[in-house]
Amino acid sequence: MLDDKKPLVQVQDLKMHFPIYRGILKRQVGAVKAVDGISFDVFEGETLGLVGESGCGKSTVGRCVLRLYEVTGGSIDIDGTDIATLSGAGLRAKRPEMQMIFQDPQASLNPRMTVGSIISEPLDEHMKMSKTEKRERVGELMDAVGLARRFADRYPHEFSGGQRQRIGIARALALNPKFIVCDEPIAALDVSIQAQVVNLLEDLQEKFGLTYLFISHDLSMVRHLATRVAVMYLGRLVELGDSETLYLTPKHPYTQALLSAVPHPDPAQAGNVERIILEGDVPSPANPPPGCTFSTRCPKAQAICKQDSPEWREIGEGHFAACHFIE
Amino acid sequence: MLNYTLRRLMFTIPTLLLISFIIFLILDLAPNDPTGNLPLTIPPEVREKIRQSLGLDAPMYIRYLLWSQQFFINEPLNLLNQWFGWCIGDCEGRLRVSSWATRSPVVDLIAERMPQTLWVVGMSYVVGILIAVPIGVISAYKQYSWFDQIGTFIAMIGFSVPTFFTGVLLIVIFSVWVPNDSFFWLPSIYDTTLEVVDWDSFMLQVRQMIMPVMVLGLFNAAQISRFMRASMLDNLSQDYVRTARAKGLKEKTVLLVHVLRNSMIPVVTVIALGIPQIFGGAIITEQIFKVNGLGQLLIIGIQGADIPLVQTLTFLFAVLIVLFNLIADVLYGLLDPRIRYE
Amino acid sequence: MKLKHLIAGMLGAAMLSTTAMAQEERGRDGNVNVIYWQAASILNPYLSGGTKDIDASSMVIEPLARYDENGNMVPVLAAEIPTAGNGGVSEDLTSITWKLKEGVTWSDGTAFTAADVVFTAEYCMNPDGGCQQLSKFGDVESVEAVDDLTVKITFSVPKPFPYGPFVGSTTPVIQAAQFAECTGEAAPTCTEQNFGPIGTGPFVVTEFRANDAISLEANSNFREAGKPAFATLTFKGGGDAASAARSVLETGEFDYAWNLQIAPEILADMEAKGIGTVVSGFGPLVERLMVNQTDPDPALGDGRSTVANPHPFLSDLNVRKALSLAIDRPLLVEIGYGKAGNVTCNVLPSPAIYNSPNNAGCEVQDIAGANALLDEAGWVRGADGVREKDGVRLSILYQTSTNAVRQDFQALIKQWWAEIGVETELKNIDAAVFFGGDQSSPDTFQKFFADIEMYANTFDGTDPEAYMGNWACSEIPSPDNAWLGGNMPRFCDPAYDALLAEMAGTADINERARLAIAMNDMLMQNYIMIPLVHRGNVSARANTLEGVKLNVWDSQLWNVADWSRAN
């Protein structure tokens, strides 16, 4: 079933290391390995969920995939073009195909621009359109995200959080992208609004045939939305698989621990799930532990885990994981 | 916004009246004497008569009321008369605020000095801003680069080395070391009587402005470039900048349209708040280059205990400061749509 | 050959005469720049006694007579100097009659007459005008125009030296027509007149920028043909003495700089550049210590520093003498003034005729002598090295105005006095306060709430009578006369007053000199004042500026009409 889908995005061995400078001369003394060699594909029309704890590097992955950072290594193939090595005009030409919806709708909108100009700015940059055409396009986009057209002349601060996120979505849609990275798009919103925005995203996906990389720490929301889910820990993927499979039969100890923390919809069954409590803190990505990065907290860790990094391998159909002990 | 401005303006009136009284009180309490700088050959009895003729024998509140009447009523009436030819009351015999040293109306003295102060100090402010903004922008954009480090170093020097040092240094280099007939020679003394009528006199004016403008400009630039850099850094890390990049905008557009425009908000208010200082003149720089603007007028007034002059000048500075505080607030409201005054 | 020579000679002569004629032309030398680091505020000396204002105005308005660089009186608007000899001064010394030069016109072309002189006197003597030169008109009973060219000034008392009014730049003649509406209370309101007086002098004002710069141009109606040589003159003010010196000696932007009281070695360095010359001259300006004869103890309340309370130890002549002996005057000169200072043992060192020969020897510092003197007088050193007698400690409060040189002097003198067992506390006061007459301030030099104070004093013109009159008993400042008076040491000696009275009735110059020297000696030998440095005036001129004669008796710009540019 997955075979007939072709991947829109192919990420190979992506690395993003942020250098650390110290001292008077600001010499580089090390690097924060925010993303340290991860690979995944996103198929056309699907939603790939990317989950993990805060600071695991999932937002960095999102930004790298859209080349908002200069990546340290690896390739990012979007619709047949490796954007990891593109720069300047070439990269800008590719921008319309890929867009991002940000976590904080307040901060991600320029406070001194009206909603209309925020949405139409990419049109100025990438399309040749007359003024009236642009106005019309802005109107359409506002309709599409459920904003009244008369709000076009207002400033972002005059809107509520949910409305602002709609503006952000409209802006992302302006150039008819194929691929959208949603970087925790609902984390900053009230719970009552979250569902509206998620529904909107789903509607839009259907309507425009969008492909999402949905980054979130909200496991239930990802389960609801995502076709497939990738789990990330300390700059690496630990497990990736079909949403249903992964939620029902998590293989990696970290995934198991994560999922055990999700409140069960049925309180009667909640008692049956044993909650796995992880010991210790997440190690610093500037100085990750040798071997398996999860070994310091893994309840199943053995000697080998401290020495060898587990291989990223397919353990079932379309189900990948990185652990020495998965059969 | 208009209501807000009007309300603020209304509040400034009692504030300024109080300020004028406090200034008067302080000047009155300060131990000084307008005859103190006269040669000792003028005998004490004559000094006493001079003091009487200046009205110094009247009680303090009478002198304050007299000044208030002259400044708040007679001077505006006189302005109406001079500008529009409207004559209200006694136009000829009206007593204006007069300097004790020059015996001429203080307002006329100020008007006479305004051009050179605005030219030199104002220009230095403009030059300062023109230097500071690009330096601030580039320093922030390339934080910790060699450009940033050098910019920080120069700003530190501009900020901490006093103008009386840089001024004299420039004079020693460009007026003393450089021979008189060289193209690079610059006059050390500003000619206030120079009238710009043709290209040559314009070039003379430019030459004599270079040193004072650069000395002050460096100082201003040091200050403003730091503000600019800090403000840019604040904005560069904002999410909307990432949004702008994600939109596929050119880096130039991202930097100049998005980041710079937002970073300018606090900087513009800082610049507006600094404008009264232009009118205040730059006392030290004006002294060094003999620009003889408002700053020099004030210092001469203070040295000579010329109370009406000092009182009027200080009060006008107070007015400008209060006014530009208001302007800065209003500007902030205009520039930043998030701010609304009701 | 002969013919050839003859022709060449004739041609040469013709050329010479044309160049000579060209040199005679008024305004031939273009512009001259003068810098006074104190800017002129006004061009009416009657409303401002500041030297800068008087000097600036001296280029425009002129007196009847002035002093030349040697202190001799020379007629300006007068035809000659009236004396008893030529009948100009009456026998009883109560009137002086000035004959005016014929054909003098104001710069506006109208005739200068005796009426202008009379008007000027009335202008200054008007009680509501606040005239700053009023003392020049002291004892003047009337000023009348005998005819258009004769003015008679009558005094209420005999005036052996009747050259107060209209002699020197402090009392120039102003035009009656121009100032007619400006008398009395209206005087200060006449801004236009005060900024641009019409005069008889070599220059007229074209633009006056108060406290900044004055533009002047040659007066086309000036009475002397071919003068001034300069067509325009710029009188710039502002800055400080060092930068004024630099503008003449180093950058060459200016031709003349006034009053360069800066460190001697700096001035010498600047002069070494070779484009300008430092000129100096010595008037009667003497930096001196005033020795308070009364007790400044705050505990005395209203009686502080008044004659009712003699000073506990400075009333002892031996102490005063010891203080003087301990001072190394040549060192003070070297440190503070260089070429612009001389050691002096007199408070009246100049003009030469008045300089007493009787006090020589003060230039040698004599610490041992001072110590011996105090030992002899019974002042014994206490445990802390400070001398005392009968419970009175030799502890001095020594005040002066704030000024780098004066503070150096204070520090040196404190050290020398410490060597003779005198303890000194130093105090310096802002000049505007110290020399100001603010009744509410305790820090004026007149109140003298200290034991010793230091400043410099001088007098206008060449006659010392009024100056010596400062130390009469009647001149002692006290609360009764609102602290007005010039007798800061509170010295009172009937013998001194008698000498003054005698001088007031003596016209003969040699006799007057004898009396002035006697008074000077009385002050010096009693150590009422301790003279330190005879200070000169230092100015600088560009080497291309000719005709400068530094005048310490009158305006430094007194002969600006004779200035010209060297070829």
Side-chain angles (χ1 to χ4, degrees), chain C residues 375-386:
Chain C
D375 288 341
E376 223 169 283
W379 295 94
V380 215
R381 282 183 194 262
D384 55 355
V386 177

Side-chain angles (χ1 to χ4, degrees), chain B residues 31 33 36 38-41 43-44 50 102-105 109 112-113 116 176 180 187-190 192-193 290 292 296, chain C residues 35 41-42 49 132 135 188 191 195 209-212 236-238 243 247 251 253-254 273 433 435-437 456-458 485:
Chain B
D33 175 18
L38 294 179
L40 292 180
T41 49
I50 294 168
T102 71
R103 309 302 182 106
S104 64
L109 287 177
E112 186 177 87
R113 262 122 198 287
Q116 55 248 43
V176 178
N180 265 2
S188 70
I189 292 178
Y190 188 94
T192 45
T193 60
K290 284 111 209 145
N292 293 352
Q296 189 256 7
Chain C
I35 186 162
S41 311
I42 193 168
Q132 305 209 353
S135 60
T191 309
F195 281 2
R209 302 172 68 89
N211 287 340
D212 178 13
K236 174 80 179 178
S243 60
S247 70
T251 73
E253 287 164 89
F254 278 75
K273 188 158 183 194
V433 175
F435 295 117
N457 200 356
T458 184

Side-chain angles (χ1 to χ4, degrees), chain B residues 105-286:
Chain B
V106 171
V107 174
D108 294 357
L109 287 177
I110 294 172
E112 186 177 87
R113 262 122 198 287
M114 201 73 94
Q116 55 248 43
T117 290
L118 286 187
W119 266 113
V120 174
V121 188
M123 187 64 82
S124 73
Y125 207 59
V126 172
V127 166
I129 294 168
L130 290 181
I131 297 176
V133 169
I135 288 184
V137 169
I138 300 172
S139 294
Y141 189 62
K142 312 234 160 176
Q143 197 185 6
Y144 302 134
S145 66
W146 62 267
F147 184 94
D148 184 30
Q149 311 280 16
I150 290 173
T152 306
F153 181 70
I154 290 176
M156 215 158 65
I157 287 184
F159 208 57
S160 53
V161 177
T163 49
F164 61 76
F165 181 81
T166 39
V168 172
L169 187 72
L170 285 190
I171 287 179
V172 167
I173 294 173
F174 289 103
S175 304
V176 178
W177 284 0
V178 174
N180 265 2
D181 43 7
S182 158
F183 173 77
F184 295 101
W185 182 84
L186 295 171
S188 70
I189 292 178
Y190 188 94
D191 180 4
T192 45
T193 60
L194 180 73
E195 278 177 51
V196 177
V197 285
D198 51 17
W199 178 252
D200 285 348
S201 54
F202 174 73
M203 284 316 289
L204 277 178
Q205 176 68 18
V206 169
R207 295 183 80 90
Q208 69 173 352
M209 276 174 62
I210 290 177
M211 285 201 287
V213 165
M214 286 329 275
V215 165
L216 274 178
L218 179 70
F219 183 75
N220 290 331
Q223 227 173 346
I224 299 168
S225 71
R226 293 280 92 186
F227 277 116
M228 192 70 233
R229 178 177 180 272
S231 181
M232 282 292 287
L233 283 177
D234 269 356
N235 278 285
L236 271 170
S237 60
Q238 297 275 323
D239 279 353
Y240 74 82
V241 180
R242 198 171 294 124
T243 311
R245 293 218 174 98
K247 281 177 181 175
L249 302 181
K250 291 193 192 74
E251 197 57 19
K252 206 174 89 186
T253 320
V254 173
L255 202 62
L256 298 184
V257 176
H258 287 260
V259 185
L260 182 60
R261 266 182 60 191
N262 284 290
S263 308
M264 283 307 281
I265 299 174
V267 177
V268 162
T269 53
V270 165
I271 289 173
L273 287 176
I275 289 178
Q277 290 166 16
I278 300 179
F279 289 88
I283 293 176
I284 293 165
T285 314
E286 285 189 2

Side-chain angles (χ1 to χ4, degrees), chain C residues 266-291:
Chain C
I266 295 179
L267 208 53
D269 276 356
M270 289 185 180
E271 195 179 10
K273 188 158 183 194
I275 60 174
T277 310
V278 173
V279 286
S280 56
F282 287 85
L285 182 66
V286 173
E287 185 85 25
R288 83 286 299 277
L289 301 177
M290 295 287 189
V291 185

Side-chain angles (χ1 to χ4, degrees), chain A residues 39-214:
Chain A
S39 308
F40 61 87
D41 296 343
V42 188
F43 297 104
E44 240 182 271
E46 77 159 349
T47 300
L48 175 69
L50 182 60
V51 297
E53 286 170 289
S54 304
C56 71
K58 55 189 192 300
S59 282
T60 309
V61 171
R63 288 168 192 172
C64 287
V65 167
L66 292 189
R67 267 305 300 281
L68 293 174
Y69 289 140
E70 295 293 317
V71 298
T72 312
S75 69
I76 306 154
D77 212 273
I78 295 187
D79 206 11
T81 317
D82 180 10
I83 62 159
T85 51
L86 278 182
S87 66
L91 181 61
R92 264 207 316 283
K94 195 76 184 153
R95 289 265 180 231
E97 289 177 28
M98 48 191 200
Q99 283 297 325
M100 189 162 197
I101 297 167
F102 294 91
Q103 172 175 5
D104 183 351
Q106 163 89 33
S108 64
L109 300 174
N110 188 334
R112 281 185 65 191
M113 290 172 88
T114 59
V115 170
S117 50
I118 288 174
I119 299 176
S120 69
E121 198 185 21
L123 304 177
D124 302 339
E125 193 70 23
H126 296 283
M127 309 217 176
K128 298 236 180 298
M129 278 186 166
S130 72
K131 267 215 169 103
T132 41
E133 281 174 321
K134 257 187 272 178
R135 269 202 87 77
E136 185 48 38
R137 175 80 181 131
V138 170
E140 281 169 20
L141 288 162
M142 292 181 77
D143 290 345
V145 299
L147 282 172
R149 288 188 181 207
R150 65 191 155 87
F151 291 160
D153 291 327
R154 296 206 181 166
Y155 288 94
H157 72 274
E158 294 170 85
F159 295 88
S160 69
Q163 285 173 310
R164 275 185 215 138
Q165 196 55 291
R166 287 169 194 268
I167 298 168
I169 295 170
R171 194 225 88 232
L173 291 176
L175 293 169
N176 289 324
K178 292 180 181 161
F179 174 55
I180 295 183
V181 174
C182 306
D183 184 6
E184 308 238 21
I186 52 171
L189 303 178
D190 286 350
V191 182
S192 57
I193 312 288
Q194 287 184 349
Q196 294 178 15
V197 173
V198 168
N199 290 337
L200 175 66
L201 286 173
E202 283 182 315
D203 293 348
L204 293 170
Q205 184 169 38
E206 202 168 309
K207 197 166 164 192
F208 298 114
L210 299 170
T211 306
Y212 289 148
L213 173 64
F214 193 90

